Amino acid sequence: MLNVPTLAQLQSEGKKAEIVFWVGCAGSFDDRAKKITKAFVKLLNQTEVSFAVLGTEESCSGDPAKRSGNEFLFQMQALQNIATLNAYEVTKIVTTCPHCFNTLKNEYPDLGGNYEVIHHTQLLKKLLKEEKLTIQGGKFKGKRITYHDPCYLGRANQIYEAPRELLQKLDAELIEMKSCKSKGLCCGAGGAQMFKDAEPGDKEVNIERTEQALETQPDIVAASCPFCNTMMTDGIKNKEQEDKVQVMDIAELIANANDL
């Protein structure tokens, strides 16, 4: 049974959480991304991190609206969220979505929302360093894993090492794609492209990226973004490789390794 307290519930009991888990729209509503949310919550429960969620009080961060050019809608959504977060005196937020991470971290301060915002791979790395989290490597021993850098985590926020350090604890073989880290290639979902048809062209970006991933002959394509997960999964299906290659979030890989 997952233990997921809400801020309202804790407040009614006179308690506070150290960190708020911002679930995000994908993590709340998308069936595939819900599995990432559950895996991360299992790890939070296992490590006894003091956390809570907003639950029904959480609204979209505003990232899709801003990226598609609707600044007015973005500010409406952001100001509503900031009012809610500030009412609960929130200081620290963790999210599994780099889009939410980037928006909350870099764009909310201009509107009065000042929080310490971290990505789930950063928190898991910190818990590992503090020896609150252990990663069992046995299940993935000998597996070939390639890691796809999400744009809003990597190039936008320079977070490259935390995800890789976690993957290396799995005792798997980590193989880099030819376009990685600061030269990483977008999966095609960023900038609100996730929600529209692609422009005319010879090849969709996620197919190009999937081809780069398949060149490494992986057993698993590791991701740390729900949008990337969707785009890479679609690419693997397009190449009819879904029976051979899995696309998994880093939180799922660790939870799976730990038999959670």
Side-chain angles (χ1 to χ4, degrees):
M1 183 70 182
L2 294 177
N3 176 31
V4 189
T6 64
L7 284 171
Q9 180 189 331
L10 290 183
Q11 189 180 63
S12 70
E13 296 167 3
K15 299 175 185 172
K16 283 190 77 170
E18 281 176 32
I19 192 164
V20 171
F21 172 26
W22 185 275
V23 182
C25 298
S28 300
F29 302 114
D30 180 81
D31 284 344
R32 175 64 187 88
K34 283 181 196 174
K35 294 178 182 176
I36 300 169
T37 303
K38 286 177 182 173
F40 183 53
V41 167
K42 285 176 183 175
L43 292 170
L44 292 176
N45 285 169
Q46 185 192 38
T47 52
E48 297 182 351
V49 170
S50 164
F51 83 99
V53 298
L54 279 166
T56 54
E57 292 186 272
E58 181 185 304
S59 176
C60 178
S61 68
D63 167 82
K66 189 172 181 73
R67 304 299 159 232
S68 57
N70 194 335
E71 181 67 21
F72 177 68
L73 177 57
F74 161 70
Q75 291 200 17
M76 281 178 59
Q77 291 177 312
L79 289 168
Q80 179 187 333
N81 285 323
I82 289 165
T84 305
L85 290 165
N86 289 353
Y88 283 114
E89 299 177 345
V90 169
T91 58
K92 191 171 182 179
I93 299 172
V94 63
T95 179
T96 53
C97 175
H99 298 254
C100 297
F101 168 76
N102 181 66
T103 301
L104 294 167
K105 181 177 189 287
N106 299 321
E107 288 159 354
Y108 273 34
D110 290 342
L111 299 168
N114 295 287
Y115 319 105
E116 180 189 350
V117 186
I118 60 172
H119 187 249
H120 73 307
T121 57
Q122 291 177 298
L123 179 61
L124 292 172
K125 179 191 165 185
K126 179 173 177 283
L127 292 169
L128 189 68
K129 192 176 177 183
E130 292 171 352
E131 299 183 352
K132 292 177 182 172
L133 172 69
T134 54
I135 300 176
Q136 310 300 326
K139 275 194 180 177
F140 296 97
K141 201 168 183 65
K143 295 282 186 187
R144 291 171 65 87
I145 298 180
T146 193
Y147 173 64
H148 165 75
D149 286 286
C151 295
Y152 283 109
L153 192 64
R155 287 178 296 168
N157 287 285
Q158 307 300 308
I159 297 168
Y160 301 113
E161 298 313 318
R164 287 172 170 82
E165 285 177 33
L166 292 166
L167 288 170
Q168 281 161 351
K169 295 293 181 187
L170 292 170
D171 290 341
E173 190 182 350
L174 182 59
I175 313 118
E176 296 288 2
M177 289 183 238
K178 64 182 178 186
S179 301
C180 64
K181 299 186 180 179
S182 61
K183 292 185 170 65
L185 181 67
C186 178
C187 72
Q193 299 293 313
M194 181 81 173
F195 307 102
K196 58 182 276 298
D197 292 331
E199 286 86 357
D202 297 329
K203 188 192 291 183
E204 293 206 22
V205 176
N206 70 315
I207 303 302
E208 177 72 24
R209 187 55 164 164
T210 300
E211 287 171 358
Q212 289 189 359
L214 291 176
E215 279 173 17
T216 69
Q217 299 181 310
D219 296 301
I220 297 162
V221 176
S224 53
C225 168
F227 288 8
C228 295
N229 196 302
T230 296
M231 299 301 276
M232 297 304 287
T233 299
D234 286 352
I236 296 291
K237 285 177 182 171
N238 176 273
K239 296 292 181 184
E240 298 181 352
Q241 294 291 310
E242 61 264 43
D243 292 339
K244 298 177 186 171
V245 182
Q246 287 180 286
V247 181
M248 293 180 76
D249 187 88
I250 290 175
E252 292 180 300
L253 289 167
I254 296 171
N256 192 299
N258 289 0
D259 291 320
L260 296 179

